[in-house]
Amino acid sequence: MRGNILGIFFSILSGVLIFLIVVAYGRSDRIAPEFRFSSVDMIYDSDTTDNDLKAGVAAYDAKDGDLTRRIVVEKVVLNREKETAVVYYAVADLSGNVTKQSRVFPADIADIDDNGDSSDTMEDGMFPDMTGAMDGENGEEVPSLFPDAENSEGQEQGAANTENSTSQTENTNTGN
């Protein structure tokens, strides 16, 4: 009798929890924000900053309102043949819904080649080559962040230590 009462109680409790989950899911914000672009006369060059790229871009959400301050520039991709720069933007609302958009600007490729592109430098700095491999663009060797890892003397010592431990294991097994 007592088992039946507990079974009924837990069945009702499970139903109430399922109902609350459905109601909470139905009320949650699942609508992503939207971008609004206005025209700007800008040419992408080596002096262009993220703030320059954000000019003329706004983001709005039905629940959270104006999200313009939360816009980030994800990356800039140069198309040297067409002399354009594709800028990728992203914004997230307070519920975690994300929207991504891109925009194309004319690019001054000659200026970028002469003075360097700050966005290329930033991306390379985020993910440095940690192995000391050859750089694909210039063919120059990139210095390793872990110089001891390339030390051949250390590798030889590691191999010698492995051989010594193997010999000791064999000697132990022979003594039995």
Side-chain angles (χ1 to χ4, degrees), residues 68-140:
T68 303
R69 62 178 167 40
R70 296 179 61 115
I71 296 173
V72 295
V73 175
E74 283 193 316
K75 65 180 175 178
V76 177
V77 177
L78 294 175
N79 184 336
R80 294 183 182 280
E81 293 174 6
K82 295 182 180 180
E83 294 189 355
T84 59
V86 181
V87 181
Y88 292 89
Y89 301 95
V91 67
D93 65 10
L94 299 176
S95 298
N97 300 310
V98 177
T99 298
K100 296 181 179 188
Q101 289 279 316
S102 63
R103 186 178 198 180
V104 179
F105 290 102
D108 186 356
I109 300 298
D111 177 61
I112 293 169
D113 288 341
D114 291 341
N115 298 320
D117 182 13
S118 63
S119 66
D120 287 344
T121 304
M122 185 183 336
E123 286 185 24
D124 290 342
M126 289 175 58
F127 301 104
D129 183 6
M130 297 167 55
T131 61
M134 299 298 275
D135 183 10
E137 291 180 17
N138 302 331
E140 299 172 358

